[in-house]
């Protein structure tokens, strides 16, 4: 099934927002075994939208539109698709009731122009919208199915998961399922990884192997098409085994398991706790750990020690150390990790101190970062890194490496990570 | 000048990455007064790419391509554009030298197939790439100019700012300049804002007024086209004045000044310092403040007090308060703000305590958040909010409201923000 996506809205063409819906829908369709060949963004302009709709329905069997379902004159998606396909729009009583209820809540009546939101395709499918006034909808004419979804993410995502995905599962070829497994790597760059499994990548067929580098991590997505899930899993297994034999030491998780989820899970499994002391990452490390639901079982406390005074008074870093080696040093990283774990009586203490930039500090280069880890009953360890890029990028890299080091300590008792 | 953007790369159509280049380039072109009418993403497929190139050059005067300039067989942008435009590709000696130097560094010779990266359009323009092996390039045939840029952001952004932008400034109409001013709002929703200035929005011409809602904030972008900057500013001024008369109390900054930048700037101007104590935001508030370069003058320390124990022992919240009112309460927010400012001897103490979800806490609903602010010489104050959405969304909203409250206290001595 050949598909394409059309995002409607002038704000996209002005660059005010990024089209994230196309990436989301493309991933979803890929999992359903539907190939997406084009993404197009077009403004709230009748003529150009007509052109895009014409092109799309002439070359694709599935076209998914996002945006342009609002109540104003600029909202044209429905009318334009109906016109190009030669389909009538009719009033949908449940959607009309939703409109009226929403306005009643404010003691108002529905402005006449807003009633257009209750129009849907004759003989089509309607997707209810519990989070807004615009229903989604779909209609099939000849070999082409058009699906129209509201733009706001808070309306699109729930609608997609509860109604649109089942609809798509039903209209695509039922002969096969598509199963993906994502292997998550840390500590190896994309080109090196690809080089190490070059043979596998060159000869890929089914399953496919798709590498992706993002924010200092690399993933490999293995995707198999088969008659059922069991067969698809059986096709993926040998490829996964070969990959692990080659580069398994860099795999830290699978599918959606981020570094922070893996770290929190590992801590919870071992019944351990961690406290963090962070300087240049300024709260991001703790913030990342606490983004994991259920983290309170393993994470209770952190100190953002941006100044030397706080490092000294609150985390027991000796003044001598701060003056001689400096705040950005192996010794300070060690002392911070020990200090914070003692202070909050946790099994692990994790610290980050470095130069995020743009200015250098203590005459040390931008990007120099130390991560310290203290573990009950073991000598504390610290690791040095040289990161490049913007302040934001350096901080993100530092957080990820700190999480990875914690994870390795939990899993292996130590880390082989010597600084990338 | 009619423009469109084409992003090339199969990873886009698989949804593995989001096309952020189109938003970036659209914003830039908008500032240059160049109208962008379409964004298209297409895979590394010769046939489909040809189709897209044909369509683009037939309807637009400027087409900017990103991606597909690599050394592999999948990299087709250059060859396809040359073919469609009927332009020859010729070897560019400086680019060839770059290639050879890069491989020499590793003691290797250039693989024959990689030499294609040194080919450029005959009689075109070349944009040097100091961050990679693929030069950017441009060529004009008839009324259409095609610009080809490398995909990786670390290569595209520097090339754009240093060479491509000046090139575009030169090829667009020189008759006018385009000037934008962005007004940043907080504490008012997009629909209410639009309603309050409805007349201005309906009658907009030059300048245009573009509202945009993003992550709990709303911006209005005023854009004027005129013969010079002074005139453009003069056209914007009266519109801005009318807007401020109507909704000025919600404006906290202009252009790129985020809440955190405004807060840090305001603290610095007044020579004041702040410390933060955060529970449910778990480090994000401190992390956001410290993302501002130069924040160390005003921010030194924060405590992530995820547990009641830390709230009691490190921030002096009374056990009675924690047991009777609970960690998520007005009283605890006040005590945390006072506790952290006393502890670190800062002018301001800022606290956040709440229920980020997905579980409720102390039988209090997900989304209930208190922000406390303590200021030397004034009684501490706390504010209650009810946020909706995911854990991530609630945490982001809490951070923004905390920053806004701090900003208001700095500017006005208090805030009228009663919780949105």
């Amino acid at each position: 099934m050949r598909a394409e996506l059309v995002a409607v809205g002038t704000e996209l063409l002005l660059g005010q927002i990024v089209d994230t819906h196309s990436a989301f829908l493309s991933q979803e369709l890929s999992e359903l075994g539907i190939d997406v060949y084009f993404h197009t963004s077009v403004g709230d302009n009748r003529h150009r939208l007509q052109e895009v709709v014409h092109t799309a329905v002439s070359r694709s069997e599935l076209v998914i539109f996002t945006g342009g379902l609002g109540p104003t004159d600029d909202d044209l998606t429905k009318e334009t698709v109906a016109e190009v396909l030669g389909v009538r729009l009719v009033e949908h009583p449940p959607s009309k009731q939703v409109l009226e209820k929403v306005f009643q809540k404010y003691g108002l009546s529905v402005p006449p122009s807003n009633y257009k939101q209750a129009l849907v395709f004759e003989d089509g499918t309607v997707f209810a919208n519990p989070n807004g006034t615009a229903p989604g909808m779909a209609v099939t004419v000849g070999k082409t199915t058009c699906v129209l979804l509201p733009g706001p993410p808070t309306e699109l995502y729930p609608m997609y998961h509860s109604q649109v995905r089942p609809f798509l599962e039903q209209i695509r070829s039922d002969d096969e399922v598509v199963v993906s497994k994502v292997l998550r790597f840390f500590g190896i760059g994309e080109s090196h990884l690809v080089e190490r499994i070059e043979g596998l990548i060159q000869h890929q067929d089914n399953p496919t192997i798709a590498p992706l580098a993002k924010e200092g991590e690399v993933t490999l997505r293995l995707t198999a098409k088969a008659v059922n899930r069991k067969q698809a899993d059986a096709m993926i297994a040998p490829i996964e085994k070969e990959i692990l034999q080659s580069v398994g030491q860099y795999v830290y998780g699978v599918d959606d398991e981020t570094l922070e989820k893996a770290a929190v899970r590992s801590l919870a499994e071992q019944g351990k706790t961690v406290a963090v002391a962070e300087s240049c990452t300024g709260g991001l490390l703790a913030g990342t750990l606490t983004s994991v639901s259920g983290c309170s079982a393993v994470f209770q406390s952190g100190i953002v020690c941006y100044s030397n005074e706080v490092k000294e008074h609150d985390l027991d870093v000796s003044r001598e150390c701060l003056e001689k080696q400096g705040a950005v040093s192996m010794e300070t990283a060690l002392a911070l990790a020990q200090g914070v774990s003692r202070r909050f009586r946790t099994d692990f203490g994790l610290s980050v101190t470095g130069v995020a930039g743009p200015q250098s500090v203590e005459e040390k280069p931008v990007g120099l970062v130390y991560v310290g880890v203290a573990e009950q009953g073991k000598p504390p360890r610290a690791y040095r890194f040289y990161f490049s890029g913007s302040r934001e990028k350096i901080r993100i890299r530092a957080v990820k490496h700190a999480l990875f080091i914690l994870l390795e300590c939990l899993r292996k008792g130590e880390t082989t990570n010597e600084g990338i």
Side-chain angles (χ1 to χ4, degrees), chain A residues 111-167:
Chain A
S113 51
N114 287 45
Y115 273 113
K116 70 178 217 167
Q117 286 197 299
L119 296 174
V120 299
F121 295 122
E122 191 174 36
D123 300 327
T125 305
V126 180
F127 305 120
N129 184 353
N131 299 293
T133 47
M137 62 195 76
V139 69
T140 302
V141 175
K143 63 164 185 52
T144 305
T145 298
C146 287
V147 175
L148 279 59
L149 304 177
T154 47
E155 299 179 33
L156 184 145
Y157 284 96
M159 188 185 289
Y160 178 84
H161 289 298
S162 64
Q163 302 169 74
V164 182
R165 189 181 163 112
F167 173 82

Side-chain angles (χ1 to χ4, degrees), chain A residues 95-116:
Chain A
S95 296
K96 184 178 173 188
Q97 274 165 37
V98 162
L99 263 181
E100 287 170 345
K101 249 207 309 208
V102 164
F103 277 87
Q104 254 163 36
K105 215 165 64 161
Y106 298 102
L108 301 165
S109 47
V110 182
S113 51
N114 287 45
Y115 273 113
K116 70 178 217 167

Side-chain angles (χ1 to χ4, degrees), chain A residues 59-114:
Chain A
R59 66 187 178 190
S60 300
E61 284 133 9
L62 172 65
V63 187
I64 303 184
F65 297 84
T66 52
L69 295 184
T72 75
D73 291 340
D74 287 341
D75 295 290
L76 301 163
T77 310
K78 199 162 39 177
E79 296 86 336
T80 309
V81 171
E83 187 185 354
V84 172
L85 293 181
V87 172
R88 274 182 55 193
L89 290 172
V90 296
E91 195 174 79
H92 185 239
S95 296
K96 184 178 173 188
Q97 274 165 37
V98 162
L99 263 181
E100 287 170 345
K101 249 207 309 208
V102 164
F103 277 87
Q104 254 163 36
K105 215 165 64 161
Y106 298 102
L108 301 165
S109 47
V110 182
S113 51
N114 287 45

